[in-house]
Amino acid sequence: MASWFTPPGGEREPEPVDIWLLDDRGGRTRITTGSDWCLTVEEEAPHGDLDLGEWGRIEVRPDRAGTPFARHLGEPVLAVREEHHPLTGRTALELAFPTGAVRCDGWSGDLRVRHLG
């Protein structure tokens, strides 16, 4: 699952606001950026859409093709690597799958998700 910001009268932003990794045992892990630009990774269920009034909407949808995680649906996570900064905490998270890896980090306060191959 993932959420995206859509400004009023505009198109959906290309990068997600939140990503939820759901496992086959009912686990739900949310990845997002914090107000201090750290990368937040916590156990939390996906929320519904949010109407932000004059600022737009946050829409939550299944991630079938919207992020680099979509190509790894159903694959086990083989390894996880974190990067930390002494002042802000976690700054990046890499998850390795049998067919590649995905890196999540914050960029100017926004969540950035990239496929590593």
Side-chain angles (χ1 to χ4, degrees), residues 5-78:
F5 173 69
T6 302
E11 293 184 30
R12 181 180 92 176
E13 295 288 324
E15 294 288 341
V17 176
D18 306 286
I19 292 177
W20 289 270
L21 303 177
L22 311 175
D23 69 27
D24 59 354
R25 295 183 182 157
R28 298 173 174 125
T29 303
R30 177 180 175 224
I31 302 171
T32 192
T33 53
S35 59
D36 60 357
W37 293 14
C38 68
L39 190 69
T40 302
V41 180
E42 61 191 355
E43 185 175 335
E44 183 180 306
H47 56 72
D49 293 350
L50 300 172
D51 183 352
L52 305 175
E54 65 186 67
W55 293 287
R57 294 184 53 77
I58 301 286
E59 297 177 335
V60 179
R61 301 286 178 264
D63 183 25
R64 292 194 175 32
T67 75
F69 282 109
R71 68 178 73 181
H72 301 292
L73 288 175
E75 293 183 17
V77 175
L78 301 178

Side-chain angles (χ1 to χ4, degrees), residues 79-100:
V80 175
R81 187 177 74 81
E82 295 181 324
E83 294 177 14
H84 291 268
H85 185 277
L87 299 176
T88 60
R90 184 185 301 109
T91 58
L93 179 72
E94 290 182 11
L95 292 100
F97 300 92
T99 59

